[in-house]
Every structure is written in C-alpha cells, then in structure tokens.
Amino acid sequence: MEFSIKSGSPEKQRSACVVVGVFEPRKLTLPAELLDNAARNYISDIIRRGDMEGKSGSTLLLHNVPGTLCDRVLLVGLGKEKEFREKEYCDAIRSAVKTLNETGSFDGTLFLTETAVKKRSVAWRIRQATIVAQETVYRFDQFKSKKDEVRRPLRKLTFAVERRNELAPAEEALTQGLAIADGMALAKNLGNLPGNVCTPTYLAESAQKIAQEYAADGAVACQILERADMEALGMGSLLSVAKGSHQPPKMIVLQYRGGKTDEKPLLLIGKGITFDTGGISLKPGPGMDEMKYDMCGAASVLGTFKAAAQMRLPLNLTVLVPTTENMPGGAASKPGDIVTSMSGQTVEILNTDAEGRLILCDALTYAERFEPDTVIDVATLTGACVIALGHVATGLFANDDGLARELLHAGDEAHDRAWQMPLWDDYQEQLKSPFADMANIGGRDAGSITAACFLSRFAKKFEWAHLDIAGTAWKSGSDKGATGRPVPLLAHYLLKKAGKLN
Ligand code: BES
Ligand code: MN
Ligand code: ZN
C-alpha cells in the first residue's frame, strides 16, 4: 500500500473516500463538522436520526454527500471522548482501513489522524496509524491455492494533519511507521511459516537476504556459524539441543553499523527453535503444531534489525540467533544428561523441553566478544509466562533497573506492552543440581522467573534484559497467527536510543 501525508480540509479532498470520526454520543469531531457544514447538515441529520451513535469500532458509509469532492464519506465511531486513548485510536484506524478495503475504495483520506490522543504527539498518531493500517491488510496466504481475493483492494492511504507545520514530523513518523510495519511483517511471515519450511537453514538464508538488501550502504554484514564452528567454540549446551534433529543448527550473526565506529553495539538475541517437540521429554499432541512459533524471538529480532537498517538509525546493532529444532531421536539428549556450556558452567538437563535456555545461554556467552553495552534476549521461553501474564503483556526481566524502565517505557509508547517480573536471588536456589553447576529447570513454581534466573547466570558481563514472549508472539484459535510482537517495543527502544522520537 502507498501512503502520504496531507494538510487540508475534508470537503475539498478528491478521494474515493474521506474518513472522519464521531464521538459517542453523536458528537462530530472537527473534520466531521467541516464536512457537515459543507454538506449543509447532511451528516448531522443522519446522526440525529440515530444511524451512527459513535460507538467505538462502528462505521457508516455514506454516498453522494453534498458539498464534497469525494465519492464517499466513512464515519467511524470513536467511543466516548473522555475515554479516547491509544487503544481506541488504534481500533478506529483499524475499522476504517478494514472497511475501506472491503468496500472497494481504491484510496482513502483519513482525518482520524487529526484527533488528539492524550499525551501523544502528531508523530505518534501517524506512526501508529501506519503500523495499524499495514497490520490490517496483512495476509499470510502463500500456501492457499485459492486466495480470498479482495475485489478492489485499498491501494493508497492519505493521513491528514491539521497544520502545515506538522507535515515534516508526520512525514518522518510515516517513514518510521513503514519501517516498523515491514519489520513486523517479516517477523509474522517467518513465524507463520510451517516448521518444514522455516528450518534453521531457512532462517540463516533469510538473515543473509536482509544483509544483502541493505548491503548497498556497506553498513550490514552477516555471518553464519555452522555446527563445526560451534563445536570449536565449545557451545555444548546449544549443540545438545540439536542432537536429535536431522536439520543442522546455525548461529546467525547480523551486524549493522549506523553509529560511530568506536561505539559499542546494542545486542539482540532471539530464540530460534524452529520446532519444539519437547525432545525426549515429548510434549502432548494437542496443539503441538503451535510450536512452529518457537522461533518468534528470532523472527522479532530479525524484524527489528530490518526496521533499524531501513530507518538508517545512527547506532550500532548486532543480532544473534541461535537456531535449531528440538526433536526426539536415537541421538537426542536425555533427561539426566550433563552438558558443558560455552561459559564452562555445566548443566544437568532434567527436562529436554526446557531447551530455549540451553541455546540462549551459549548465545549470551558468545555475545561477550562483541563487548556490547546492552544485551536483550527475546524468547518464547515458558508456558508459565502465559499463565502469569496471558496474551497482553510480555514478561520483562532485567539485571539493570534503568534498562528495565527504558523497555517498559518503549512498550508503553508503542502500545506493545511489557510487565516487569522479579529476578531476585532467592529464586536461584530452585536451579540447584546435585551433579552439575545447575539444573535446566526449577520446578513448577515461578517457572518463568527460574528460566530467567538460569539465563542471568550467563549475563554477568553486561546490562541485560530478557523478554518472555510466550504469550504475546502469536494468537491461537480460529484467526491464529504470529503477531509481530515485540518488534514495535524494540523498534521504539532503538528510536529513542537514536534520539529519533518525536
Ligand atoms: N517453547 C516452550 C515454551 C512455550 C510453551 C511457549 C507454551 C508458548 C506456549 C519452551 O521450550 C518449553 O517447553 N518450556 C517448558 C519449560 C518447562 C519444561 C520447565 C514449559 O514452559 O512447559
Ligand atoms: Mn520446550
Ligand atoms: Zn521452546
């Protein structure tokens, strides 16, 4: 879809459809009022008759509105003005774009972007509208022989701003929004691909493609570590997870240098289990297909990387993706096996289904050689996190309160929220093993915390945060699919770091 920014009055737009908002009960927003004046109360008459109450998410499409230059007018309910917040704003954009797409408008001009959202700037409104619009038209139908074709899909969206001096920040926000939406689409595509297609090799090739795409600037490089490289490095923990699989494991290293040469990089690590059967500690059958999403951490850091490179952010960013399948088999790791991680610490594998931490710990140790300022790992790590926070908030753990605050704030800004959980030493005891330096599980209690505690033992050399996205990376049910989270959170964090947020 094409996007543009405009400032001008709604009645003068030559567009297939002009979209304006109505608050509940029956209160016109300013652009709606301007249209209504030009149309000699045509709109307020309709509203008075009760055809549009202004309820959040409701829409009413009007044809032949007098006094205007557009083919149609779409009224979108915004809910009560007092309760109009980020969520209501995004809902309104979503229903507008959905309706435009379904009702055969080739292009649309949205005046919803002029409506103030408490504490949010014009740039925020435009960035968010761009992301939501792209999300609304996203489809994953590459494996459908017959696609559900939209007859005349929406091709062009214009966002209106009230004042001319808002055009420049809005344009910049649009560019950012498009980059973030592209990063999310990449994350969703990778997540939605089935495990027989999206293998560790496929992820490595995708990373190389990203590197090629942005290679022109000379700022992006990609390196893939193979099994032999990992053996030489002593990544015994990661390799123990790959033992049961016929697919070779990979460690992806992607580097972007947009900052000063001597500036230390930010480092993102993504869990890349392309399918998690549980291994010998086999998972139950029902719903196991969803374990193709166990690489959504990897997908999200690759998506964030793409967004950062596309925005040419003035910072240095390194992405690490340890990736393998977790399969049972004659060669697979068994409960009770003891492995030596790259750090030298030994781990007793009490449950082969707690494999995410086993690949992440070696990536954390490998991260040390990049002398990063900050390391953030992203992982569909524990079912326990879903029990704790459901599908709303990502679980956040950190060994540094400043970093935790920055990430919480970024999540808030991006409406891709996280919630901090404790990482107190008291929980470390649950990881005690009689035979090795630690066990890979800490029992049922506080499952997402003990998983984070395990990781913290490999993250002593830098500021580190861990995002458990088990509940937020994908949706189950009839409209199942990857969400692209937490690309918005991470992208906002990077934008803020780069001083590019308005
Ligand atoms: N990939 C799973 C975590 C998961 C489970 C994500 C359900 C989303 C939904 C992870 O590898 C896993 O299996 N974790 C175990 C850990 C346990 C054995 C300590 C879990 O959560 O059950
Ligand atoms: Mn598992
Ligand atoms: Zn897993």
Side-chain angles (χ1 to χ4, degrees), residues 271 273 275-279 281 283 291 294 326 351-357 380-382:
K271 171 179 172 183
I273 296 290
F275 197 86
D276 182 10
T277 65
S281 313
K283 284 183 181 297
M291 282 302 126
D294 212 18
N326 184 22
N351 190 319
T352 64
D353 198 10
E355 84 299 338
R357 61 199 80 180
T380 49
L381 203 63
T382 63

